Amino acid sequence: MRTFFSEDHRLHFPQAELSGGEFVTPYERPSRVEYILGQLKERRLGEIVAPGPVDMGPAERLLDAGFLRFLETAYDEWKAAGQGGEVIAAGMPTRRQRHDRIPRNIDGKVEYYCHASETAITGGTWRAAQSSLASAQAAQREVAGGARGAFALCRPPGHHATSDQYGGYCFINNAAVVAEMFRMGGARRVTVLDVDFHHGNGTQDIFWRRGDVMFASIHGDPLDAYPYFAGYADEIGEGEGKGPTSTCRLPPGTGYGPWAEALDGLIARIRDWGAEALVVSLGVDAYKDDPISFFKLDSPDFLDCGRRIGRMGLPTVFCMEGGYAIEQVGVNTVNVLEGFEDA
């Protein structure tokens, strides 16, 4: 299996994240990638390849044009307004406030386009987000060309980014764009399977009314875990999208037994639905020692997870999402990929 990866991810490195009432080094930081690369090389999983240029065309089919323009220009506008630090939202539109007007002031624009203030924009964020998408696109082209699977080592991640908002460390929804590329290439039905601990609210939002892309997710109960306001069992889509959306929320302390049972249930639904291609939002923050999750999976469990996904026999692109137990993120990620290869 080939891995697609861009060094430009380093251009996005916010210096602070608001967590627990204080500013800390962000959990989503460049060193995560180094541990994954180290494991890929040590275990010789396959060639590591730089992607070609990004193609924004497929993203523009899914995402709001004003939002993309905002991401491209936000940092420069912020600095031109005399702001000294990184771009951080001070608030968001709330219940019974107007959502149909985009402010002219950069402070207001940030609040309009952001849904989680732990996510900062720096001078290099836009280029890093584009390079992350380029890696995902290169992996999709690899699989569309006949490979059984490919890994996009995406950073920043993407599954919390909606069609018109960023947050949860995510700016462009890489997995959603890959699914759209499979559709553009002729696949009639595509599934995005999200195994990250946190519900992929952005992916669900993008395909909410689509009947050709299934979103399936296993995640921490949003009563207890971010993103809190999405990921409940009654969220089944609307219109043509009613039905394909399938989510499974699990409680604090969930171990691999019930987690794997939930995965098998989603796999059965994916098979019955008739998916022709699979995109895996590969977060490994279900790990027992992850600092911002509450599942109890151990490293060998990720091998078995990969085998279960591999036995589906679908052309598969893995897009890297979360995983913040830094010293184990490489082991756990490559275990999934190795299990997939073993299957």
Side-chain angles (χ1 to χ4, degrees), residues 94-290:
T94 60
R95 289 183 289 277
R96 293 173 296 283
Q97 287 188 321
R98 297 292 292 269
H99 295 75
D100 61 339
R101 296 290 187 273
I102 303 173
R104 281 192 293 265
N105 183 283
I106 185 59
D107 284 335
K109 285 183 183 179
V110 173
E111 295 185 12
Y112 180 84
Y113 283 117
C114 182
H115 64 67
S117 60
E118 84 290 288
T119 304
I121 295 175
T122 73
T125 296
W126 176 241
R127 279 182 58 192
Q130 286 188 304
S131 77
S132 183
L133 178 59
S135 295
Q137 291 180 318
Q140 190 278 336
R141 288 190 288 268
E142 173 88 353
V143 172
R148 178 170 171 262
F151 175 42
L153 181 43
C154 297
R155 185 184 174 272
H159 72 147
H160 294 306
T162 71
S163 61
D164 58 0
Q165 285 191 303
Y166 71 97
Y169 311 132
C170 302
F171 302 95
I172 299 174
N173 196 310
N174 303 303
V177 175
V178 168
E180 182 71 0
M181 290 174 67
F182 275 123
R183 285 288 293 118
M184 292 168 65
R188 291 173 298 172
R189 289 186 167 188
V190 181
T191 292
V192 180
L193 172 63
D194 194 323
V195 297
D196 190 283
F197 168 78
H198 302 95
H199 176 259
N201 57 303
T203 314
Q204 177 174 286
D205 171 77
I206 289 169
F207 297 117
W208 186 248
R209 295 176 178 86
R210 293 269 296 266
D212 55 348
V213 178
M214 169 189 279
F215 173 69
S217 173
I218 310 170
H219 51 271
D221 192 327
L223 286 172
D224 301 298
Y226 178 87
Y228 298 112
F229 308 108
Y232 294 91
D234 59 354
E235 296 168 18
I236 59 172
E238 293 180 1
E240 292 182 4
K242 190 172 183 179
T245 299
S246 182
T247 65
C248 184
R249 59 189 177 113
L250 297 172
T254 293
Y256 189 61
W259 192 95
E261 183 178 348
L263 176 62
D264 286 344
L266 291 180
I267 287 172
R269 290 203 62 177
I270 293 166
R271 284 176 169 151
D272 290 345
W273 188 67
E276 297 175 0
L278 181 67
V279 186
V280 179
S281 274
L282 178 54
V284 293
D285 42 2
Y287 179 61
K288 63 181 182 179
D289 293 327
D290 195 277

Side-chain angles (χ1 to χ4, degrees), residues 8 16 27 32 36 50 59 65 81 85 112 115 136 158 188 195 208 229 268 309 326 341:
D8 281 351
Y27 292 108
R32 298 174 63 239
I36 297 169
Y112 180 84
H115 64 67
R188 291 173 298 172
V195 297
W208 186 248
F229 308 108
I309 294 171
I326 296 294
E341 293 280 79

Side-chain angles (χ1 to χ4, degrees), residues 58-83:
E60 290 165 355
R61 290 167 57 99
L62 294 177
L63 310 181
D64 178 76
F67 173 55
L68 290 173
R69 178 64 177 162
F70 164 80
L71 290 176
E72 183 178 5
T73 62
Y75 187 79
D76 289 341
E77 282 194 59
W78 185 260
K79 289 302 180 184
Q83 307 283 31

